[in-house]
Amino acid sequence: MGDQIVAVKAKRGQRSKESIREDNELIILAAAEKVFAKHGLKGSTTKQIADVAKLPKSNIHYYFHTKLNLYRRVLESIFVEWMKAAEPFNTYDEPKEAIRFYVGAKMDLSRTRPFGSKVWANEIISGAPEMEEILSSRLKKWVDTCVSSINTWVELKKINSMGDAHTFLYMIWATTQHYADFDYQLIILNNGKKLTDSEFEEKKQQVIGLVLRSVGIEP
Amino acid sequence: MGDQIVAVKAKRGQRSKESIREDNELIILAAAEKVFAKHGLKGSTTKQIADVAKLPKSNIHYYFHTKLNLYRRVLESIFVEWMKAAEPFNTYDEPKEAIRFYVGAKMDLSRTRPFGSKVWANEIISGAPEMEEILSSRLKKWVDTCVSSINTWVELKKINSMGDAHTFLYMIWATTQHYADFDYQLIILNNGKKLTDSEFEEKKQQVIGLVLRSVGIEP
DNA sequence: ATTTAACCTGACCAAGTGGTCAAATATTTT
DNA sequence: AAAATATTTGACCACTTGGTCAGGTTAAAT
């Protein structure tokens, strides 16, 4: 990611105002996501973000005005991507396929965008002060449709009942996001080695297997 | 918890030096756990901790010297309690019982000590800078014995294989800790209502059921 | 070519920050 | 009761914080 920033900055010289703004906002958002992931809203400083973005601090304030504003933009962008990953649940009729693709997509996101997941986790842990609205309106809505899908599957005897469908959904969230939020712990317990891409792919299949079996589907 | 602090402070007047130290350390540790849970190490201030503990800031420094020192003490105390909850895995021979009791104990901890779980989560998310040693020595050791228990069960065909036993263990951690770390999100998605004790007990049984089924045990 | 509008940034500031310290008070020991 | 030790706390300090702003540079519109 650092290389990306350098690359974009290097080809300066003759850029349109529009692309300048676009580029810099992306650079700053990426840097902010990284820093917020590590230290949360309160623990992160605009100076740190500026340093990661390789821009002067004033520049961050020029584009996003306040730290809180920048933070909200980061959260919003993460939420949008998560919702995109959540589509499988409503596009597949068969639980086996729906669950397989949803869990797979969530695992992929944990792998490709771990910082976003961590920012989200930090925000919830600290009481979700900036996300209450997103959660209680947009996320709630999605969860409701999801829960009714699951309930339908239970009624059709396609999967075992787990009592409250939320419990199953939360297990999926927790298990998949664990691979992003707790990645440092996983590395330490893996003797200091990060999983390779193929090892991660294997893990992904194992997770899918456990989740499917938990509702009685043989993977 | 606030009431506890008040109660302890109220009965002052004639206390031994020893009990003064003991009491105040407990009060400060409890306050620190609460504040660190919400804002992490960097985002928390000694003033906040002092306010929650209802003591002057200097007093916090008198007992624990530095913020980092206090933070380490909080982490250590959480780790000790988690290891206690982890015993079932090595005291029961049958996977059904071992898993049932372990998952139950972890769920109970999420209910009774959510702040501790959040401090832990924050620490890992921010790269585990203060816990690397605990993780790579003491936790690693426990995980290794756990993994070999699981593998034995697989060999004896008492449970289904999930490939790598770690995957199963991490699912248990993630799912149970989710009920502490993401409690705000769960409340919002539950229409703003916290789970009652009996509702939580029900959730606990559902989680146990899912986990058992995920390795092919009928609960 | 000149005006206009957007971008850039070093210098600056008021409000915290973790931590120190000396003086006051309380308990324990002699 | 007096000396020794431990607790308490307001005042203080060097440093960092988020944010402002004036004066500059660069690109776009006239």
Side-chain angles (χ1 to χ4, degrees):
Chain A
M1 180 180 296
D3 301 335
Q4 246 176 60
I5 291 171
V6 172
V8 171
K9 289 193 68 173
K11 66 163 180 168
R12 273 213 189 134
Q14 214 65 357
R15 292 187 302 159
S16 72
K17 293 276 180 191
E18 207 177 345
S19 83
I20 289 176
R21 172 149 226 127
E22 222 168 292
D23 290 352
N24 280 346
E25 286 192 354
L26 285 178
I27 289 170
I28 294 168
L29 281 170
E33 186 169 313
K34 207 168 181 172
V35 175
F36 284 137
K38 199 150 198 157
H39 301 296
L41 172 60
K42 285 203 62 185
S44 301
T45 72
T46 51
K47 175 80 162 55
Q48 283 177 311
I49 295 169
D51 287 347
V52 172
K54 295 183 179 170
L55 289 169
K57 179 163 72 91
S58 323
N59 216 320
I60 272 75
H61 283 100
Y62 174 69
Y63 281 106
F64 292 92
H65 205 60
T66 64
K67 181 169 84 160
L68 182 57
N69 203 41
L70 173 55
Y71 180 68
R72 288 197 181 121
R73 287 281 301 273
V74 171
L75 280 180
E76 174 69 26
S77 110
I78 296 160
F79 183 76
V80 168
E81 195 155 1
W82 276 21
M83 283 298 97
K84 257 190 279 174
E87 273 168 29
F89 233 111
N90 306 313
T91 48
Y92 290 93
D93 281 340
E94 285 305 306
K96 189 167 178 174
E97 283 173 317
I99 292 167
R100 181 179 288 284
F101 280 91
Y102 179 53
V103 172
K106 286 230 69 183
M107 285 295 283
D108 287 339
L109 263 186
S110 281
R111 179 76 171 180
T112 58
R113 207 172 170 184
F115 299 128
S117 181
K118 286 177 186 177
V119 176
W120 183 280
N122 257 321
E123 166 68 9
I124 306 286
I125 288 175
S126 63
E130 303 302 328
M131 264 205 321
E132 195 162 342
E133 216 183 300
I134 291 186
L135 293 179
S136 58
S137 58
R138 290 193 271 169
L139 182 61
K140 179 74 161 63
K141 207 169 170 179
W142 182 82
V143 167
D144 287 344
T145 67
C146 239
V147 164
S148 67
S149 289
I150 297 171
N151 285 335
T152 306
W153 292 331
V154 172
E155 281 163 29
L156 296 175
K157 308 241 186 247
K158 288 184 170 178
I159 63 174
N160 282 330
S161 168
M162 70 298 288
D164 181 356
H166 290 90
T167 314
F168 178 56
L169 198 55
Y170 295 157
M171 188 181 79
I172 293 177
W173 288 358
T175 306
T176 54
Q177 288 163 219
H178 189 83
Y179 286 86
D181 303 342
F182 288 70
D183 58 354
Y184 286 105
Q185 179 172 278
L186 299 188
I187 289 173
I188 293 173
L189 294 177
N190 192 37
N191 300 310
K193 287 173 300 198
K194 205 190 156 194
L195 291 181
T196 65
D197 282 345
S198 71
E199 283 168 341
F200 188 82
E201 195 61 32
E202 207 176 324
K203 271 259 178 267
K204 197 208 301 190
Q205 296 308 324
Q206 292 172 5
V207 169
I208 292 173
L210 282 173
V211 171
L212 284 174
R213 276 216 177 88
S214 77
V215 288
I217 299 178
E218 204 51 37
Chain B
M1 179 182 298
D3 301 335
Q4 245 178 60
I5 292 169
V6 172
V8 171
K9 288 193 70 174
K11 68 162 177 164
R12 276 215 186 132
Q14 213 66 355
R15 293 187 302 159
S16 73
K17 293 276 181 190
E18 206 176 344
S19 83
I20 288 177
R21 173 148 226 127
E22 223 167 290
D23 291 352
N24 281 346
E25 286 192 353
L26 285 178
I27 288 170
I28 294 167
L29 281 169
E33 187 169 312
K34 207 169 181 173
V35 174
F36 284 137
K38 200 150 197 157
H39 301 294
L41 172 60
K42 284 203 63 184
S44 302
T45 72
T46 52
K47 175 79 162 55
Q48 283 178 310
I49 296 168
D51 287 347
V52 172
K54 295 184 179 172
L55 288 170
K57 180 164 71 91
S58 325
N59 216 319
I60 272 73
H61 282 100
Y62 173 69
Y63 281 106
F64 292 91
H65 204 59
T66 65
K67 182 169 84 160
L68 182 58
N69 204 41
L70 173 54
Y71 180 70
R72 289 199 181 119
R73 288 281 301 273
V74 171
L75 280 181
E76 174 69 26
S77 110
I78 296 160
F79 182 76
V80 167
E81 195 154 3
W82 276 20
M83 283 299 98
K84 258 190 280 175
E87 275 168 29
F89 233 111
N90 306 313
T91 48
Y92 290 92
D93 280 339
E94 285 306 305
K96 190 168 179 174
E97 284 172 315
I99 292 167
R100 183 179 287 283
F101 280 91
Y102 179 53
V103 173
K106 285 231 69 183
M107 286 295 282
D108 288 338
L109 261 185
S110 281
R111 179 76 170 180
T112 57
R113 208 175 170 183
F115 299 128
S117 181
K118 287 177 186 177
V119 176
W120 183 280
N122 257 321
E123 165 69 9
I124 306 286
I125 288 174
S126 63
E130 302 302 328
M131 265 205 321
E132 196 162 342
E133 217 183 300
I134 291 185
L135 292 179
S136 58
S137 57
R138 289 192 272 169
L139 183 61
K140 179 73 162 62
K141 207 168 171 181
W142 182 82
V143 167
D144 287 343
T145 67
C146 241
V147 164
S148 67
S149 288
I150 297 172
N151 285 336
T152 306
W153 293 330
V154 171
E155 281 163 30
L156 297 174
K157 307 240 186 247
K158 287 184 170 179
I159 64 174
N160 282 329
S161 167
M162 69 298 288
D164 181 355
H166 290 89
T167 314
F168 179 57
L169 198 54
Y170 295 157
M171 187 181 79
I172 293 177
W173 287 358
T175 306
T176 54
Q177 286 162 221
H178 190 82
Y179 287 85
D181 302 342
F182 288 70
D183 57 354
Y184 287 104
Q185 179 171 279
L186 299 188
I187 289 174
I188 293 173
L189 294 177
N190 192 38
N191 301 309
K193 287 173 302 198
K194 205 190 157 193
L195 291 181
T196 64
D197 282 345
S198 72
E199 283 168 342
F200 188 83
E201 196 59 34
E202 208 176 323
K203 270 258 178 269
K204 198 209 295 190
Q205 295 308 322
Q206 292 172 6
V207 170
I208 292 173
L210 283 172
V211 171
L212 284 175
R213 275 216 179 88
S214 77
V215 288
I217 299 179
E218 205 48 40

